[in-house]
Amino acid sequence: MVKSMRRGRRTRQENPQKVSAIGPGMLGGRYRPLTRSDEKQIHQTILDVLENIGMGDPIPIVKEHALERGCFINDHGRLCFPRAFIEDAISSAPKNARLFGRDPKHDIDVGDNHVHNYGGGEAVNMLDVGASRYRPSTLDDLYDTARLVDRMDNIHALARLVVPTEIQDQLSCDINSAYVSAAGTLKHTQLTFADASHVQPTLEMLYMIAGGKEKFHERPFCNGGGCPVISPLRYGKDNSEVCVESIKFGAPIWVTVAPQAGATAPAALAGAVVQSVAEALAGMLMVHVVDPRTPVVLGPWPFVSDLRTGSFTGGSGEEAVVSAAAVQMINFYGLPSSVGAGMTDSKLPDYQAGYEKALAIALAAQAGCNDVSECSGMLGSLMALSLESMVIDNDLLGAVLRTVRGIEVNEETLSYDVIQQVVHGEGHYLRAQQTLDLMRTEYEYPAIADRMTPGEFEAAGSPDIRQQAGERVKSILSSHYPEYIEPAIDAKIRERFPILLKPENMRSGNSRW
Amino acid sequence: MTDQYEDKEIILSDLPDDELIDQMHDDLYDGMAKEIAEGTQILLDRGWSAQQVLTEALVGGMAVVGIDFRDGVLFVPEVLMAANAMKAGMAILKPMLSEAGSKPVGKMVIGTVKGDIHDIGKNLVGMMMEGAGFEVIDLGINIDADTYIEAIEEHQANILGMSALLTTTMPYMKVVIDRMVEKGIRDKYKVLVGGAPLNEEFGQAVGADAYCRDAATAVDAAKELLAAAS
């Protein structure tokens, strides 16, 4: 049958499923900064730390359950976990879990070195399109980030990218954050709570969005969790309670710890890995003693200090390598993993931002991180978010995922026959059947990265990538106003909850874009 | 070839006053607490007043530390060692200073605000302030407005320092400052605020005298505000 080009074009335009070389959940794990012997030594030290030094300030419910199960309080009044208990917990803990999207195409399976990228970061500032100064972030900004993530193929799930700083009431802040996320994207969303008492009311709202409690729990499209450890090695009350209360989602709990090498973790990078993984395990054990069936995504996020000033540096080579090592340790345990990567110290989407992000994200993804977080749009050591940066990062993440996919080597791809045919034939591969077959599936094409010739570039007015990104942000955000919450349900939600996002800001033609 | 920096045993008590002061500046720079305590005692034994030792030997030495920290020559751990050495000298001078009725460079009450338990940055500021000769009353973490206000009044401090790491707790700084205004005592004190999520605009919005992005800035701001007030 002869196919016309016109039909080919139509098919491609009508088929929304983009053909791509990459996708969510590709297998990483090839990059291993630690040797097998390093892994074992780190593991033994982690057991020593949790068994002998233990954790300070466990909340009562955790302490009670832990003591019942053979854990003990040492002479310093700290909760200690016997090594056999820790090893049992690791081996019996759920190794794989599904994070549901509201559309099944966005489902994410964590565990087994599957790589996914998360938007997240809790920045308190925005860098507006074209701007050079930060301003405080708002609920409208968070809504915009959700809508943009919804359209970014290489950002697979959402977390709170910016904090709505104008909302003083913390309960309102948490509920509104969940609302605008659900209004802006069908991708899985990881929620944050300032207090455990905020979990239930937020769930009530999510039940309404899902069409009922049972419906939500069939496919919980949000999960909860927190940062339950104050480094070094002390449980924080509020976030411990949030983590335990988040078991109610019936979804994996995210637990993130962020000790900072040189300040709240050892300056020796191996020690920073030991402490951060020990703290992440302590977070998991806390959930485990209360409910051993609930999966935990372990987030040992070893941060790094710039010891010249004491401040956090997210963009350093040290940050990239310790994060990859932390992922390697969580994979050593076979548990679901998360690290922060792409937390550049640069204040603008510039060359520094690009190289710092690429390095950290590439190493984390290559190490096989299930949840590469903070990788989209973050600037200024997590202090700000730029939507332009998010669009550029989407290209960056695509390129990184292409490296994760690697190179398939088999008789066909080795291409002996094709080489022979071309050499004896046309002398080039552009019309070879193999090229036609592979041009979309072997290669990943960036959406905005510049691949023009210098002449074309000059003719286009020499636009830099930030300009291109800004145009794309405006084009998406001025038109992508999805109706992900049914109007009738939305009205009921607004009756019952103090939703602060104005309905007119959820339709095109508003003054914002 | 002889190395002019070759380590020699230096007997502090053998040095004349001016060389001893220089040596103490070096020892502060190198964070040598025992040597600073000894040098302080020697100067006192030679009849120096406590105030003179403080100003010339200790504060003078820490000024060099501050400059080199600002310029990126010294790193934070080194500055903390220097501040610790300064503290060793201050431990000897403090009772004599208060007996003589002389005042410290300034007095600061510092704490992390209510709801927040992060204290590394706050501790760093406290140590640096002590290093610069300030007396620091550290209230710790999770401090409510009443506790701050009672402490500044009780200790007759000049400066209140508040820190927060969380965006959810930083608005509490305004609560404290508003309470000070209500009580009519706001103008008696200089208020410094700091913490990772804060910025200049936030500092102004809550009515602080200064936002301090790091510990060194806090010391400079405290000195400038007190100099301007006196």
Side-chain angles (χ1 to χ4, degrees):
Chain A
M1 194 181 93
V2 179
K3 277 190 181 177
S4 78
M5 285 309 287
R6 202 167 154 214
R7 180 172 302 172
R9 191 182 72 199
R10 266 200 201 148
T11 315
R12 279 201 291 279
Q13 285 177 344
E14 284 162 12
N15 182 3
Q17 289 287 7
K18 189 182 149 223
V19 180
S20 176
I22 55 169
M26 288 185 317
L27 279 179
R30 282 194 207 87
Y31 174 57
R32 309 169 64 84
L34 306 168
T35 64
R36 289 286 179 209
S37 153
D38 295 341
E39 282 178 353
K40 287 194 185 112
Q41 291 180 69
I42 288 173
H43 170 57
Q44 288 305 323
T45 312
I46 287 168
L47 294 180
D48 288 341
V49 166
L50 290 173
E51 185 173 58
N52 302 317
I53 302 173
M55 293 293 297
D57 303 340
I59 56 172
I61 181 173
V62 168
K63 186 173 165 182
E64 188 185 311
H65 283 277
L67 294 181
E68 270 170 23
R69 303 185 54 180
C71 303
F72 61 94
I73 302 292
N74 71 7
D75 295 343
H76 299 279
R78 300 169 64 87
L79 178 63
C80 296
F81 303 93
R83 52 216 304 133
F85 174 81
I86 301 166
E87 292 187 308
D88 283 353
I90 290 170
S91 64
S92 68
K95 303 289 184 295
N96 298 85
R98 176 161 292 182
L99 295 164
F100 295 95
R102 280 161 74 201
D103 180 333
K105 77 175 180 199
H106 294 309
D107 287 358
I108 286 174
D109 290 319
V110 295
D112 290 335
N113 298 7
H114 289 291
V115 179
H116 304 93
N117 303 316
Y118 267 57
E122 304 255 338
V124 290
N125 296 292
M126 283 296 287
L127 178 68
D128 282 325
V129 172
S132 57
R133 284 181 68 86
Y134 294 168
R135 62 161 175 83
S137 52
T138 65
L139 187 65
D140 279 310
D141 295 321
L142 183 61
Y143 175 56
D144 289 342
T145 67
R147 292 191 294 136
L148 198 54
V149 163
D150 200 49
R151 292 289 303 275
M152 296 288 114
D153 289 338
N154 300 320
I155 305 170
H156 306 125
L158 178 70
R160 187 154 72 183
L161 275 156
V162 291
V163 177
T165 58
E166 81 278 27
I167 307 178
Q168 301 291 319
D169 180 78
Q170 294 185 1
L171 173 61
S172 170
C173 183
D174 288 345
I175 287 182
N176 275 285
S177 297
Y179 173 84
V180 299
S181 303
T185 186
L186 295 180
K187 292 182 181 178
H188 182 85
T189 300
Q190 175 180 297
L191 297 177
T192 303
F193 299 100
D195 191 272
S197 65
H198 302 177
V199 171
Q200 190 58 39
T202 304
L203 269 172
E204 303 283 337
M205 182 184 68
L206 295 173
Y207 293 160
M208 292 172 76
I209 293 170
K213 183 175 176 178
E214 293 72 24
K215 275 251 170 80
F216 177 84
H217 286 297
E218 271 169 32
R219 297 177 50 85
F221 55 84
C222 294
N223 67 332
C227 307
V229 174
I230 309 293
S231 303
L233 297 164
R234 185 157 57 98
Y235 286 116
K237 177 173 170 285
D238 293 351
N239 263 262
S240 292
E241 289 170 355
V242 168
C243 286
V244 171
E245 182 74 2
S246 292
I247 293 171
K248 284 187 177 168
F249 278 87
I253 307 281
W254 63 273
V255 165
T256 294
V257 301
Q260 195 175 311
T264 55
L269 297 184
V273 173
V274 164
Q275 190 187 307
S276 57
V277 175
E279 289 178 342
L281 282 170
M284 184 204 81
L285 293 169
M286 184 185 77
V287 175
H288 181 84
V289 296
V290 179
D291 179 11
R293 294 159 306 168
T294 294
V296 175
V297 179
L298 283 87
W301 293 18
F303 281 4
V304 168
S305 306
D306 184 322
L307 288 170
R308 295 173 302 184
T309 58
S311 60
F312 156 55
T313 162
S316 60
E318 296 84 3
E319 179 66 54
V321 75
V322 285
S323 296
V327 169
Q328 185 179 340
M329 287 309 298
I330 301 301
N331 284 343
F332 169 79
Y333 298 127
L335 296 167
S337 63
S338 154
V339 286
M343 307 177 286
T344 180
D345 301 313
S346 178
K347 311 302 172 288
L348 298 171
D350 58 8
Y351 195 154
Q352 181 190 343
Y355 84 72
E356 291 183 349
K357 281 165 176 272
L359 177 66
I361 294 169
L363 295 197
Q366 287 293 348
C369 179
N370 295 149
D371 162 3
V372 180
S373 196
E374 328 295 83
C375 63
S376 54
M378 301 311 294
L379 292 175
S381 319
L382 298 182
M383 293 311 295
L385 177 115
S386 148
L387 299 171
E388 296 147 316
S389 184
M390 208 155 128
V391 166
I392 303 169
D393 290 342
N394 186 59
D395 272 4
L396 190 167
L397 293 165
V400 168
L401 287 179
R402 184 62 191 84
T403 71
V404 170
R405 178 177 151 188
I407 298 173
E408 292 90 33
V409 179
N410 57 46
E411 200 175 335
E412 207 177 313
T413 61
L414 286 167
S415 309
Y416 178 85
D417 293 343
V418 183
I419 295 169
Q420 190 179 42
Q421 278 164 22
V422 163
V423 168
H424 297 318
E426 275 197 285
H428 65 80
Y429 295 89
L430 282 167
R431 282 215 306 209
Q433 188 58 45
Q434 187 194 49
T435 308
L436 283 160
D437 291 345
L438 295 181
M439 63 187 188
R440 289 198 174 76
T441 54
E442 184 82 338
Y443 296 89
E444 173 60 17
Y445 298 92
I448 58 160
D450 171 25
R451 290 183 176 178
M452 289 184 277
T453 65
E456 289 167 343
F457 175 73
E458 281 170 24
S462 308
D464 76 357
I465 194 166
R466 194 176 169 194
Q467 272 171 272
Q468 303 277 41
E471 291 307 314
R472 188 152 164 76
V473 168
K474 286 180 197 161
S475 133
I476 293 174
L477 292 184
S478 60
S479 60
H480 184 52
Y481 286 95
E483 197 179 271
Y484 289 153
I485 301 174
E486 281 175 45
I489 303 281
D490 190 65
K492 283 186 187 155
I493 289 173
R494 285 174 182 273
E495 270 170 34
R496 190 168 157 194
F497 298 97
I499 301 303
L500 298 167
L501 185 70
K502 292 185 186 137
E504 59 265 32
N505 286 1
M506 299 170 73
R507 290 190 287 268
S508 60
N510 68 64
S511 58
R512 298 197 64 248
W513 290 102
Chain B
M1 196 180 126
T2 57
D3 181 353
Q4 61 171 322
Y5 296 114
E6 194 186 352
D7 278 347
K8 296 182 292 219
E9 281 282 305
I10 296 170
I11 310 298
L12 292 178
S13 53
D14 290 351
L15 298 176
D17 285 3
D18 55 343
E19 282 183 34
L20 178 57
I21 295 290
D22 279 350
Q23 185 58 44
M24 285 177 72
H25 289 182
D26 286 351
D27 286 346
L28 271 173
Y29 196 90
D30 292 332
M32 299 170 83
K34 215 170 70 199
E35 285 75 2
I36 288 298
E38 191 184 329
T40 302
Q41 195 57 55
I42 292 168
L43 287 173
L44 292 172
D45 292 345
R46 290 182 189 172
W48 283 50
S49 74
Q51 186 62 48
Q52 212 182 350
V53 178
L54 173 68
T55 314
E56 291 183 30
L58 301 187
V59 175
M62 286 305 286
V64 183
V65 171
I67 289 164
D68 275 9
F69 176 54
R70 186 196 63 204
D71 295 345
V73 178
L74 286 180
F75 289 12
V76 170
E78 293 168 313
V79 174
L80 295 183
M81 293 301 287
N84 193 45
M86 162 97 184
K87 223 173 157 181
M90 279 304 290
I92 299 169
L93 297 179
K94 209 169 156 184
M96 311 172 78
L97 286 169
S98 40
E99 208 171 288
S102 61
K103 287 180 180 162
V105 180
K107 221 184 223 189
M108 180 188 211
V109 164
I110 192 170
T112 303
V113 296
K114 188 172 153 188
D116 209 325
I117 49 176
H118 297 87
D119 60 359
I120 298 290
K122 182 260 303 170
N123 294 346
L124 197 61
V125 172
M127 285 183 268
M128 293 282 285
M129 294 291 290
E130 282 182 341
F134 285 81
E135 186 178 340
V136 175
I137 297 107
D138 186 348
L139 302 177
I141 55 172
N142 196 15
I143 303 302
D144 63 26
D146 291 339
T147 312
Y148 277 122
I149 289 168
E150 274 166 33
I152 47 176
E153 295 276 274
E154 182 196 328
H155 294 283
Q156 298 183 327
N158 323 83
I159 300 168
L160 172 63
M162 290 187 281
S163 128
L165 184 75
L166 305 177
T167 53
T168 50
T169 56
M170 57 192 240
Y172 192 76
M173 293 177 176
K174 185 163 182 350
V175 175
V176 178
I177 294 174
D178 287 350
R179 188 75 54 83
M180 290 169 74
V181 173
E182 268 169 41
K183 288 185 174 272
I185 58 168
R186 172 65 186 86
D187 295 340
K188 281 170 67 184
Y189 305 97
K190 300 296 172 193
V191 179
L192 308 185
V193 296
L198 277 65
N199 57 26
E200 201 73 50
E201 286 81 6
F202 178 83
Q204 283 168 12
V206 299
D209 291 293
Y211 153 72
C212 308
R213 67 185 152 78
D214 57 33
T217 317
V219 172
D220 290 344
K223 282 183 183 164
E224 277 166 29
L225 286 166
L226 291 189
S230 65

